[in-house]
Amino acid sequence: MVNKPYGRKLINRVLPEKAKNKILKDIAELPKISIDRTAALDAEKIAVGAFSPLEGFLGSEEYNSVLFKETLLNGLPWTIPIIFAPNPQEKSTIDKLKSGSEIALFYQEKPIGMLHLEEKYRFSKKELAKQVFGTTDIAHPDVKKIENMGDVILSGKIDLLERLSPKDEFTPKETRAEFEKRQWETIVVFQTRNPPHVAHEYIQRCALELVDGLFIHPVVGELKPDDFPPEAVVESYRYLIDNYYPASRVFLSPFSIAMRYAGPKAAVFLAIVRKNYGCTHFIVGRDMAGVGSYYDPYEAQALLRKLDIGIEPMAFRESYYCSRCQSVASEKTCAHKPENHVKISGTQLRKLIAAKTRPPAEIMRPEIADLLSKYSANLQKAT
Ligand SMILES: [Zn+2]
Protein backbone atom coordinates (compact mmCIF):
# COMPACT_ATOMS: atom_id res chain seq x y z
CA MET A 1 0.00 0.00 0.00
CA VAL A 2 1.17 3.51 -0.78
CA ASN A 3 1.39 5.91 2.17
CA LYS A 4 -1.77 7.38 3.72
CA PRO A 5 -2.50 11.07 3.13
CA TYR A 6 -1.45 13.47 5.89
CA GLY A 7 -4.42 13.67 8.24
CA ARG A 8 -5.72 10.45 6.57
CA LYS A 9 -7.99 12.07 3.97
CA LEU A 10 -6.91 13.36 0.58
CA ILE A 11 -8.57 16.74 0.05
CA ASN A 12 -10.27 17.42 -3.28
CA ARG A 13 -11.49 20.95 -3.95
CA VAL A 14 -11.37 20.92 -7.72
CA LEU A 15 -14.84 21.90 -8.90
CA PRO A 16 -16.61 19.42 -11.16
CA GLU A 17 -17.37 20.69 -14.67
CA LYS A 18 -21.04 21.46 -14.02
CA ALA A 19 -20.45 23.47 -10.85
CA LYS A 20 -17.56 25.24 -12.53
CA ASN A 21 -19.65 26.32 -15.53
CA LYS A 22 -22.37 27.62 -13.24
CA ILE A 23 -19.87 29.81 -11.38
CA LEU A 24 -18.20 31.02 -14.57
CA LYS A 25 -21.59 32.09 -15.94
CA ASP A 26 -22.18 34.43 -12.99
CA ILE A 27 -18.60 35.36 -12.21
CA ALA A 28 -19.00 39.01 -13.25
CA GLU A 29 -21.31 39.54 -10.26
CA LEU A 30 -18.64 38.52 -7.75
CA PRO A 31 -15.90 40.62 -6.17
CA LYS A 32 -12.70 39.97 -8.11
CA ILE A 33 -9.18 39.81 -6.64
CA SER A 34 -5.91 39.16 -8.46
CA ILE A 35 -3.74 36.42 -7.07
CA ASP A 36 0.02 36.20 -7.54
CA ARG A 37 1.79 33.12 -8.86
CA THR A 38 2.89 31.81 -5.45
CA ALA A 39 -0.61 31.92 -3.97
CA ALA A 40 -2.21 30.67 -7.21
CA LEU A 41 0.04 27.61 -7.21
CA ASP A 42 -0.73 27.12 -3.51
CA ALA A 43 -4.47 27.29 -4.23
CA GLU A 44 -4.07 24.62 -6.87
CA LYS A 45 -2.05 22.39 -4.56
CA ILE A 46 -4.67 22.76 -1.82
CA ALA A 47 -7.40 21.81 -4.29
CA VAL A 48 -5.67 18.68 -5.61
CA GLY A 49 -4.86 17.49 -2.09
CA ALA A 50 -1.10 18.05 -2.16
CA PHE A 51 -1.41 20.18 0.99
CA SER A 52 -3.94 17.88 2.75
CA PRO A 53 -5.41 18.35 5.32
CA LEU A 54 -5.57 22.06 4.33
CA GLU A 55 -8.74 23.06 2.51
CA GLY A 56 -7.88 26.72 2.13
CA PHE A 57 -5.65 29.58 3.18
CA LEU A 58 -4.90 29.71 6.92
CA GLY A 59 -6.92 31.79 9.37
CA SER A 60 -5.16 33.87 12.04
CA GLU A 61 -5.31 31.32 14.84
CA GLU A 62 -3.88 28.53 12.69
CA TYR A 63 -1.32 30.93 11.16
CA ASN A 64 0.00 31.75 14.63
CA SER A 65 0.00 28.10 15.58
CA VAL A 66 2.14 27.26 12.54
CA LEU A 67 4.51 30.16 13.24
CA PHE A 68 5.01 29.58 16.94
CA LYS A 69 4.17 25.91 17.58
CA GLU A 70 4.90 24.34 14.18
CA THR A 71 1.49 22.65 14.25
CA LEU A 72 -1.95 23.01 12.68
CA LEU A 73 -4.90 23.50 15.03
CA ASN A 74 -5.56 19.74 14.93
CA GLY A 75 -2.08 19.19 16.39
CA LEU A 76 -0.39 17.84 13.25
CA PRO A 77 3.11 19.22 12.64
CA TRP A 78 3.14 21.94 9.93
CA THR A 79 5.99 24.37 9.31
CA ILE A 80 5.19 26.66 6.37
CA PRO A 81 2.10 28.92 6.61
CA ILE A 82 -0.01 28.77 3.44
CA ILE A 83 -1.49 32.23 3.21
CA PHE A 84 -2.84 34.74 0.71
CA ALA A 85 -2.05 38.43 1.20
CA PRO A 86 -3.25 40.16 -1.99
CA ASN A 87 -1.43 43.03 -3.63
CA PRO A 88 -2.12 46.38 -1.86
CA GLN A 89 -3.63 47.65 -5.15
CA GLU A 90 -6.64 45.52 -4.25
CA LYS A 91 -7.24 47.58 -1.08
CA SER A 92 -10.56 49.13 -2.12
CA THR A 93 -12.01 45.67 -2.93
CA ILE A 94 -10.57 44.11 0.25
CA ASP A 95 -12.04 46.88 2.43
CA LYS A 96 -15.54 45.97 1.22
CA LEU A 97 -15.20 42.24 1.86
CA LYS A 98 -16.93 40.62 4.79
CA SER A 99 -16.66 37.19 6.33
CA GLY A 100 -18.84 34.92 4.16
CA SER A 101 -18.06 36.81 0.93
CA GLU A 102 -17.50 34.68 -2.16
CA ILE A 103 -14.49 36.01 -4.05
CA ALA A 104 -13.36 35.19 -7.58
CA LEU A 105 -9.59 34.75 -7.76
CA PHE A 106 -8.03 35.92 -11.01
CA TYR A 107 -4.56 34.94 -12.19
CA GLN A 108 -3.31 36.85 -15.22
CA GLU A 109 -6.86 38.04 -15.99
CA LYS A 110 -8.28 34.49 -15.90
CA PRO A 111 -10.56 33.19 -13.15
CA ILE A 112 -8.79 30.26 -11.50
CA GLY A 113 -10.67 29.74 -8.27
CA MET A 114 -13.09 30.85 -5.59
CA LEU A 115 -12.26 31.91 -2.06
CA HIS A 116 -14.97 31.52 0.58
CA LEU A 117 -13.79 34.28 2.87
CA GLU A 118 -13.69 33.35 6.54
CA GLU A 119 -11.43 36.05 7.94
CA LYS A 120 -9.24 38.99 6.97
CA TYR A 121 -6.40 39.88 9.30
CA ARG A 122 -3.23 41.91 9.50
CA PHE A 123 0.13 40.29 10.19
CA SER A 124 3.69 41.28 10.95
CA LYS A 125 6.02 40.72 8.01
CA LYS A 126 9.04 40.79 10.32
CA GLU A 127 7.52 38.10 12.52
CA LEU A 128 6.68 35.91 9.51
CA ALA A 129 10.23 36.25 8.16
CA LYS A 130 11.83 35.60 11.53
CA GLN A 131 9.67 32.62 12.54
CA VAL A 132 9.66 30.78 9.22
CA PHE A 133 12.94 31.77 7.58
CA GLY A 134 14.92 32.50 10.74
CA THR A 135 16.05 35.90 9.47
CA THR A 136 14.79 39.35 8.52
CA ASP A 137 17.69 39.88 6.14
CA ILE A 138 16.34 41.28 2.89
CA ALA A 139 19.10 39.44 1.00
CA HIS A 140 17.17 36.21 1.69
CA PRO A 141 14.92 35.64 -1.37
CA ASP A 142 11.83 34.74 0.66
CA VAL A 143 12.23 37.69 3.05
CA LYS A 144 12.29 39.90 -0.03
CA LYS A 145 9.10 38.23 -1.29
CA ILE A 146 7.42 38.84 2.08
CA GLU A 147 8.32 42.55 1.84
CA ASN A 148 6.37 42.73 -1.42
CA MET A 149 3.26 41.02 -0.03
CA GLY A 150 0.10 42.93 0.89
CA ASP A 151 -0.63 43.83 4.53
CA VAL A 152 -3.88 41.90 4.91
CA ILE A 153 -4.31 38.14 4.75
CA LEU A 154 -7.52 36.63 3.41
CA SER A 155 -8.36 33.20 4.75
CA GLY A 156 -10.93 30.55 3.88
CA LYS A 157 -11.61 27.45 1.85
CA ILE A 158 -10.94 27.54 -1.83
CA ASP A 159 -12.53 25.86 -4.84
CA LEU A 160 -10.46 25.47 -7.96
CA LEU A 161 -11.76 26.41 -11.41
CA GLU A 162 -8.59 26.08 -13.51
CA ARG A 163 -5.32 24.24 -13.02
CA LEU A 164 -2.08 26.12 -13.60
CA SER A 165 0.38 23.26 -13.55
CA PRO A 166 1.94 21.80 -16.70
CA LYS A 167 -0.09 19.08 -18.47
CA ASP A 168 2.47 16.38 -17.64
CA GLU A 169 2.25 17.09 -13.90
CA PHE A 170 0.59 14.37 -11.83
CA THR A 171 -1.75 15.16 -8.92
CA PRO A 172 -1.51 13.18 -5.66
CA LYS A 173 -4.50 11.11 -6.76
CA GLU A 174 -2.75 10.30 -10.03
CA THR A 175 0.65 9.44 -8.51
CA ARG A 176 -1.09 7.15 -6.01
CA ALA A 177 -2.84 5.35 -8.87
CA GLU A 178 0.43 5.13 -10.80
CA PHE A 179 2.34 3.70 -7.81
CA GLU A 180 -0.41 1.16 -7.20
CA LYS A 181 -0.44 0.15 -10.86
CA ARG A 182 3.30 -0.47 -10.57
CA GLN A 183 2.66 -2.44 -7.35
CA TRP A 184 5.10 -0.28 -5.41
CA GLU A 185 4.56 -0.43 -1.67
CA THR A 186 7.61 1.54 -0.63
CA ILE A 187 8.34 4.69 -2.59
CA VAL A 188 11.21 7.06 -2.00
CA VAL A 189 10.89 10.62 -3.31
CA PHE A 190 13.74 12.82 -4.44
CA GLN A 191 13.02 16.53 -4.00
CA THR A 192 15.12 18.66 -6.31
CA ARG A 193 15.56 21.94 -8.13
CA ASN A 194 18.81 20.98 -9.86
CA PRO A 195 19.78 18.82 -12.82
CA PRO A 196 21.31 15.50 -11.79
CA HIS A 197 25.02 15.29 -11.11
CA VAL A 198 26.75 12.03 -10.18
CA ALA A 199 26.31 12.51 -6.43
CA HIS A 200 22.54 12.88 -6.87
CA GLU A 201 22.52 9.73 -8.95
CA TYR A 202 24.55 7.90 -6.30
CA ILE A 203 22.10 8.88 -3.56
CA GLN A 204 19.10 7.91 -5.68
CA ARG A 205 20.60 4.50 -6.47
CA CYS A 206 21.49 3.90 -2.78
CA ALA A 207 17.91 4.73 -1.78
CA LEU A 208 16.35 2.70 -4.58
CA GLU A 209 18.29 -0.39 -3.48
CA LEU A 210 16.13 -0.36 -0.32
CA VAL A 211 12.63 0.36 -1.67
CA ASP A 212 10.32 -0.56 -4.57
CA GLY A 213 10.33 2.69 -6.49
CA LEU A 214 11.97 6.08 -6.88
CA PHE A 215 9.82 9.16 -7.51
CA ILE A 216 11.71 12.14 -8.89
CA HIS A 217 9.71 15.28 -8.17
CA PRO A 218 11.51 18.45 -9.31
CA VAL A 219 10.10 21.81 -8.27
CA VAL A 220 9.22 23.76 -11.41
CA GLY A 221 6.80 26.44 -10.19
CA GLU A 222 8.86 29.33 -8.95
CA LEU A 223 12.56 29.28 -8.19
CA LYS A 224 15.35 31.77 -7.43
CA PRO A 225 16.62 33.60 -10.52
CA ASP A 226 20.00 31.91 -10.16
CA ASP A 227 18.55 28.38 -10.04
CA PHE A 228 18.61 26.30 -13.23
CA PRO A 229 15.54 26.87 -15.42
CA PRO A 230 12.92 24.20 -14.56
CA GLU A 231 12.80 22.90 -18.17
CA ALA A 232 16.53 22.14 -17.92
CA VAL A 233 16.01 20.13 -14.75
CA VAL A 234 13.09 18.13 -16.13
CA GLU A 235 14.76 17.49 -19.49
CA SER A 236 18.00 16.27 -17.91
CA TYR A 237 16.13 13.94 -15.58
CA ARG A 238 14.09 12.53 -18.47
CA TYR A 239 17.38 11.79 -20.20
CA LEU A 240 18.80 10.07 -17.12
CA ILE A 241 15.67 7.97 -16.66
CA ASP A 242 15.39 7.01 -20.36
CA ASN A 243 19.04 6.02 -20.66
CA TYR A 244 20.19 4.76 -17.27
CA TYR A 245 17.34 3.88 -14.91
CA PRO A 246 14.95 0.95 -15.25
CA ALA A 247 11.66 2.42 -16.46
CA SER A 248 9.68 0.14 -14.15
CA ARG A 249 11.42 1.47 -11.03
CA VAL A 250 11.62 5.23 -11.56
CA PHE A 251 8.86 7.74 -12.14
CA LEU A 252 9.07 11.49 -12.75
CA SER A 253 6.56 14.30 -12.49
CA PRO A 254 7.18 18.03 -12.35
CA PHE A 255 5.96 19.71 -9.18
CA SER A 256 4.80 23.30 -9.60
CA ILE A 257 4.96 25.14 -6.32
CA ALA A 258 6.83 28.22 -5.26
CA MET A 259 10.00 26.90 -3.65
CA ARG A 260 10.45 28.02 -0.02
CA TYR A 261 14.09 28.47 0.92
CA ALA A 262 13.44 27.90 4.62
CA GLY A 263 15.99 25.13 5.20
CA PRO A 264 14.74 22.69 7.87
CA LYS A 265 11.17 24.04 7.98
CA ALA A 266 10.90 23.79 4.19
CA ALA A 267 12.30 20.25 4.29
CA VAL A 268 9.56 19.18 6.71
CA PHE A 269 6.90 20.86 4.58
CA LEU A 270 8.22 19.24 1.40
CA ALA A 271 8.21 15.84 3.12
CA ILE A 272 4.61 16.23 4.37
CA VAL A 273 3.48 17.14 0.87
CA ARG A 274 5.17 14.05 -0.59
CA LYS A 275 3.34 11.84 1.89
CA ASN A 276 0.19 13.14 0.21
CA TYR A 277 1.58 12.00 -3.15
CA GLY A 278 1.80 8.50 -1.63
CA CYS A 279 5.54 8.36 -0.87
CA THR A 280 6.78 6.39 2.13
CA HIS A 281 10.41 7.57 2.20
CA PHE A 282 11.98 11.00 1.74
CA ILE A 283 15.59 11.58 0.72
CA VAL A 284 17.14 14.45 2.64
CA GLY A 285 20.70 15.43 1.81
CA ARG A 286 22.92 18.24 2.94
CA ASP A 287 21.41 21.74 3.25
CA MET A 288 18.02 20.85 1.81
CA ALA A 289 16.00 23.92 0.75
CA GLY A 290 18.79 26.12 2.01
CA VAL A 291 20.09 29.36 0.58
CA GLY A 292 23.31 31.22 1.41
CA SER A 293 24.49 30.16 4.85
CA TYR A 294 21.30 30.82 6.80
CA TYR A 295 20.85 27.21 7.96
CA ASP A 296 22.98 24.52 9.51
CA PRO A 297 23.40 22.00 6.66
CA TYR A 298 22.22 19.03 8.74
CA GLU A 299 19.43 20.77 10.70
CA ALA A 300 16.80 19.61 8.17
CA GLN A 301 17.67 15.98 8.83
CA ALA A 302 17.47 16.57 12.59
CA LEU A 303 14.05 18.28 12.39
CA LEU A 304 12.65 15.52 10.17
CA ARG A 305 13.77 12.91 12.68
CA LYS A 306 12.29 14.89 15.57
CA LEU A 307 8.82 15.51 14.09
CA ASP A 308 6.76 12.43 13.44
CA ILE A 309 5.04 13.14 10.13
CA GLY A 310 4.62 9.59 8.88
CA ILE A 311 7.17 9.57 6.08
CA GLU A 312 10.56 7.97 6.71
CA PRO A 313 13.52 10.33 6.20
CA MET A 314 16.52 8.81 4.42
CA ALA A 315 19.37 11.07 5.48
CA PHE A 316 22.54 11.31 3.40
CA ARG A 317 25.84 13.00 4.23
CA GLU A 318 27.47 15.21 1.65
CA SER A 319 28.86 13.00 -1.11
CA TYR A 320 31.86 13.61 -3.36
CA TYR A 321 33.91 11.78 -5.95
CA CYS A 322 36.89 10.03 -4.34
CA SER A 323 39.80 9.32 -6.66
CA ARG A 324 41.12 6.56 -4.37
CA CYS A 325 37.75 4.78 -4.04
CA GLN A 326 37.11 5.58 -7.72
CA SER A 327 33.47 6.18 -6.94
CA VAL A 328 31.12 8.61 -5.31
CA ALA A 329 31.35 8.24 -1.55
CA SER A 330 30.88 10.18 1.67
CA GLU A 331 32.75 10.53 4.94
CA LYS A 332 30.59 7.63 6.11
CA THR A 333 31.83 5.26 3.40
CA CYS A 334 35.34 6.39 2.48
CA ALA A 335 38.58 6.52 4.49
CA HIS A 336 40.56 8.92 2.32
CA LYS A 337 41.85 12.41 2.89
CA PRO A 338 40.13 15.50 1.42
CA GLU A 339 42.87 15.92 -1.20
CA ASN A 340 41.46 12.79 -2.89
CA HIS A 341 37.95 14.20 -3.01
CA VAL A 342 36.28 16.14 -5.80
CA LYS A 343 33.51 18.12 -4.11
CA ILE A 344 30.41 18.77 -6.18
CA SER A 345 28.84 22.16 -5.70
CA GLY A 346 25.71 23.28 -7.48
CA THR A 347 27.01 26.82 -7.75
CA GLN A 348 30.24 25.67 -9.34
CA LEU A 349 28.32 23.48 -11.80
CA ARG A 350 26.08 26.39 -12.79
CA LYS A 351 29.15 28.54 -13.46
CA LEU A 352 30.75 25.86 -15.65
CA ILE A 353 27.56 25.28 -17.64
CA ALA A 354 26.99 29.04 -18.00
CA ALA A 355 30.50 29.31 -19.46
CA LYS A 356 29.71 26.36 -21.79
CA THR A 357 32.50 24.37 -20.13
CA ARG A 358 31.93 20.65 -19.65
CA PRO A 359 32.36 19.74 -15.98
CA PRO A 360 34.64 16.71 -15.34
CA ALA A 361 32.88 13.37 -15.95
CA GLU A 362 33.45 12.51 -12.27
CA ILE A 363 30.99 15.30 -11.47
CA MET A 364 28.40 15.21 -14.24
CA ARG A 365 27.64 12.85 -17.08
CA PRO A 366 28.92 14.54 -20.27
CA GLU A 367 25.63 13.95 -22.14
CA ILE A 368 23.75 15.75 -19.36
CA ALA A 369 26.26 18.60 -19.38
CA ASP A 370 25.84 18.92 -23.17
CA LEU A 371 22.09 18.85 -22.87
CA LEU A 372 22.25 21.63 -20.28
CA SER A 373 24.60 23.79 -22.31
CA LYS A 374 21.70 25.03 -24.42
CA TYR A 375 20.39 26.74 -21.27
CA SER A 376 23.68 28.53 -20.63
CA ALA A 377 22.29 31.86 -21.85
CA ASN A 378 19.56 31.76 -19.16
CA LEU A 379 22.20 31.03 -16.55
CA GLN A 380 24.48 33.82 -17.63
CA LYS A 381 21.62 36.27 -17.26
CA ALA A 382 21.02 35.08 -13.73
CA THR A 383 24.57 34.81 -12.42
ZN1 LIG B 1 37.76 7.21 -0.76
Side-chain angles (χ1 to χ4, degrees), residues 88-112:
Q89 287 172 354
E90 304 281 349
K91 190 179 178 304
S92 61
T93 314
I94 295 169
D95 285 347
K96 281 182 234 143
L97 297 173
K98 289 194 176 59
S99 170
S101 299
E102 304 279 304
I103 305 160
L105 302 173
F106 277 68
Y107 177 67
Q108 293 180 342
E109 306 300 315
K110 264 179 66 186
I112 60 132

Side-chain angles (χ1 to χ4, degrees), residues 320 322-327 329-330 333-337 340-341:
Y320 44 73
C322 173
S323 57
R324 294 280 303 279
C325 292
Q326 294 195 315
S327 78
S330 75
T333 55
C334 138
H336 307 115
K337 293 213 166 68
N340 301 300
H341 300 163

Side-chain angles (χ1 to χ4, degrees), residues 26 39-40 149 151 258 275 321 373:
D26 302 325
M149 282 165 73
D151 302 316
K275 180 173 157 66
Y321 182 81
S373 69

Side-chain angles (χ1 to χ4, degrees), residues 90-153:
E90 304 281 349
K91 190 179 178 304
S92 61
T93 314
I94 295 169
D95 285 347
K96 281 182 234 143
L97 297 173
K98 289 194 176 59
S99 170
S101 299
E102 304 279 304
I103 305 160
L105 302 173
F106 277 68
Y107 177 67
Q108 293 180 342
E109 306 300 315
K110 264 179 66 186
I112 60 132
M114 301 287 303
L115 173 67
H116 309 276
L117 186 70
E118 279 161 31
E119 194 187 351
K120 52 180 181 182
Y121 58 98
R122 302 187 78 84
F123 69 111
S124 155
K125 292 183 179 180
K126 277 225 153 70
E127 196 174 76
L128 173 60
K130 186 92 196 98
Q131 289 304 117
V132 178
F133 299 96
T135 177
T136 52
D137 182 1
I138 199 82
H140 187 296
D142 283 291
V143 176
K144 199 172 166 204
K145 261 176 103 173
I146 291 171
E147 275 303 304
N148 296 328
M149 282 165 73
D151 302 316
V152 176
I153 293 176

Side-chain angles (χ1 to χ4, degrees), residues 190-197 200 204 216 218-219 223 226-228 232-234 236-237 346-347 349-350 364 372:
F190 190 76
Q191 145 71 32
T192 188
R193 53 188 160 93
N194 285 300
H197 55 56
H200 294 136
Q204 289 161 11
I216 296 171
V219 172
L223 297 165
D226 60 343
D227 278 329
F228 270 98
V233 179
V234 172
S236 54
Y237 263 108
T347 315
L349 266 177
R350 272 193 295 273
M364 180 172 265
L372 289 172

